[in-house]
Amino acid sequence: MIDGKIDHGGLADRLRGIVTVYAWCKENNTAFKLYFDSPFILQKYLLPNLYDWTINKEMISYNSKDSLPVFIDSRRRDRKNEICFQKKMSNCFLLKDYKQIHVYTNMYFADSSFSILFNELFKPSVMLRRNIEYHLKQIGGKYISVSFRFLRLLGDFEDCGENVLDEIEKENLIIKCRRTLFDLYEEYVSLGISKLFVTSDSCRFIDRISDIDFVYIAPGVIGHMDRSVDDETNLKTFLDFYLIANADLIFMARTKDMYESGFAHRASLVYNKPFKEYLFD
């Protein structure tokens, strides 16, 4: 259930929860359906592929005799202990005798099979697929994906996180991140890499790197899925996700003060592409 009744998180949180519940249902011979209508209808961007997960709103029961809402969160415990906890909670609550169990979660214990499960569930809509194909053609060859997540550090993205840096600190951080792009390009250009596809939550940073000839940026409005209902913003989120997924090598680049986002890593799992965290000072 992704219906706006809780803070569902970004796309990575939503997808890992969806895939994990689907994995549990497959293993336990239980029917799986996905109701995703907040802040948009998912089918505008992702369609059923090999499994029909769709359900009409009229088929959902909120009668407490028939349905049970279940919330299982990830608390950033040790990963091994977290996975054990998630499996235990799933077996405890999802086996209860109800006609419907409405699961709200960002569990990730199915990550080892994420690619298979995700592609059983989803394929891009015609609109999204056309956008993906267009930008892959524009990139025109092998490429690396590099993601930067600043949260509030540069002062142009509303989210949780550290306080906004002062102007000198902002400039210094932008310069470091620009230098990182040149370092990565110099390291991998000999392997036939033509472009670095860059994603970020900061318009200010994107503006400052748009003059680099080997950098490719997908157009669109930057925003967070739990805070936006704008079609252009949502399309960019899904487009970035798939363009990261199609890269030959995927980096999450950050300093110790920047956010360790799961977006790029989640995208890397779609087609089992190599993922690395690139730490710099």
Side-chain angles (χ1 to χ4, degrees), residues 49-50 114-123 270-271:
N49 191 18
L50 303 179
F114 186 88
S115 179
I116 294 171
L117 298 169
F118 177 87
N119 289 292
E120 284 180 9
L121 288 173
F122 301 120
K123 63 182 178 181
V270 172
Y271 302 123

Side-chain angles (χ1 to χ4, degrees), residues 135-161:
H135 288 287
L136 289 176
K137 186 175 181 180
Q138 294 299 113
I139 293 171
K142 295 175 66 176
Y143 68 99
I144 287 174
S145 167
V146 189
S147 296
F148 299 85
R149 189 78 191 275
F150 297 95
L151 296 182
R152 299 183 65 245
L153 292 175
L154 297 184
D156 61 350
F157 189 79
E158 285 302 317
D159 205 336
C160 58

Side-chain angles (χ1 to χ4, degrees), residues 10 40 140 142 144 163 178 194 222 238-239:
F40 52 84
K142 295 175 66 176
I144 287 174
N163 293 328
R178 274 182 59 99
S194 60
I222 297 171
F238 281 97
L239 179 59

